């Protein structure tokens, strides 16, 4: 998606060789017009899949997932991230490392929000090692819902998350692919 590439070059910064800072576009301030544009692009790519719900993880996935769900005319469910040790009997819970926070959190989705009748599209902002995605996909598996695919705004292809999902046969669509953040430079594929 050329528009997103251009906006990343203009407004993102490289925090380290691993981490891209997108605070002006997605992760703190949200460019709502850009988020809507990304939502329309994901809706176009997955439009033939009879999606019944879009699912994401709070908080940074929500704007793009909202835009996608709105365009498709379906509800949005977001997994909550909690730092709790309490089991929740009415929820599916998976423990995952949080890439940028250096901590482990639980992803939590109430059981009544997903069912085997659902066909889900999982949308997220960035994929790195794929821990968040694998956790959410385990929850989707427990619910019995079908996963139609994964839409990611920014895939860092020098980390393994996207590749590992594709190797499992999951359809992964990313809007931009970053091959390297070395030497403070953003190199697209
Ligand atoms: P993963 O679980 O794939 O390793 O990391 C995914 C999550 O960590 C993303 O949803 C995102 O919130 C955060 N994340 C991973 N890499 C980056 C990055 O380079 N920049 C920012 N801002 N967040 C990231």
């Amino acid at each position: 998606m050329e528009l997103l590439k251009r906006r990343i070059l203009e407004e993102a910064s490289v925090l380290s060789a691993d981490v891209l800072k997108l605070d002006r576009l997605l992760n703190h301030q949200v460019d709502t017009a850009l988020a809507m544009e990304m939502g329309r692009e994901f809706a176009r790519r997955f439009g033939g899949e009879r999606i019944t719900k879009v699912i994401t993880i709070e908080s940074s996935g929500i704007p793009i997932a909202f835009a996608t769900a709105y365009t498709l005319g379906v509800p949005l469910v977001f997994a909550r991230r909690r730092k709790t040790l309490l089991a929740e009997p009415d929820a599916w819970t998976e423990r995952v490392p949080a890439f940028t926070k250096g901590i482990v959190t639980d992803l939590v989705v109430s059981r009544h929000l997903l069912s085997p009748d659902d066909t889900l599209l999982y949308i997220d902002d960035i994929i790195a090692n794929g821990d968040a995605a694998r956790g959410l996909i385990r929850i989707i598996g427990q619910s019995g819902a079908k996963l139609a695919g994964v839409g990611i705004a920014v895939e860092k292809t020098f980390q393994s998350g996207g590749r590992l999902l594709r190797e499992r046969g999951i359809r992964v669509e990313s809007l931009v692919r970053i091959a390297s953040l070395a030497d403070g430079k953003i190199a697209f594929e």
Side-chain angles (χ1 to χ4, degrees):
M1 190 180 180
E2 287 307 314
L3 171 65
L4 181 57
K5 270 191 193 170
R6 182 161 52 77
R7 296 294 302 276
I8 288 173
L9 287 175
E10 287 167 1
E11 289 167 70
S13 53
V14 177
L15 266 190
S16 70
D18 281 347
V19 180
L20 183 68
K21 192 170 180 191
L22 286 169
D23 278 17
R24 290 175 189 222
L25 298 177
L26 268 183
N27 295 143
H28 198 5
Q29 170 174 277
V30 175
D31 184 313
T32 54
L34 181 64
M36 288 308 293
E37 203 55 52
M38 291 191 264
R40 279 191 283 273
E41 179 62 20
F42 284 130
R44 190 183 64 72
R45 294 190 192 193
F46 289 99
E49 300 280 353
R50 296 175 185 270
I51 306 297
T52 62
K53 287 181 183 172
V54 172
I55 190 163
T56 189
I57 300 172
E58 70 174 357
S59 54
S60 296
I62 292 176
I64 318 171
F66 174 92
T68 308
Y70 181 82
T71 309
L72 289 169
V74 299
L76 162 67
V77 174
F78 60 91
R80 294 183 177 277
R81 262 191 200 271
R82 294 211 182 120
K83 283 184 279 178
T84 172
L85 296 174
L86 296 177
E88 297 199 33
D90 299 330
W92 288 294
T93 304
E94 285 289 335
R95 189 149 296 174
V96 297
F99 180 82
T100 48
K101 301 194 174 83
I103 55 169
V104 171
T105 58
D106 286 343
L107 302 183
V108 181
V109 178
S110 286
R111 291 180 188 232
H112 72 276
L113 295 176
L114 303 179
S115 87
D117 295 334
D118 280 317
T119 300
L120 302 178
L121 172 58
Y122 165 37
I123 298 289
D124 219 337
D125 59 340
I126 303 181
I127 193 161
N129 298 321
D131 292 302
R134 283 191 295 277
L136 193 65
I137 290 167
R138 285 196 296 275
I139 286 177
I140 293 169
Q142 290 175 56
S143 77
K146 178 174 172 243
L147 176 65
V150 179
I152 301 287
V154 178
E155 179 178 354
K156 291 182 289 178
T157 54
F158 59 91
Q159 292 161 322
S160 60
R163 177 173 55 76
L164 292 174
L165 296 183
R166 290 187 186 94
E167 282 174 7
R168 288 169 55 183
I170 296 169
R171 178 179 173 198
V172 181
E173 295 273 345
S174 43
L175 300 183
V176 303
R177 293 158 69 90
I178 292 179
S180 163
L181 295 174
D183 304 321
K185 292 199 195 80
I186 302 168
F188 294 106
E189 263 190 6

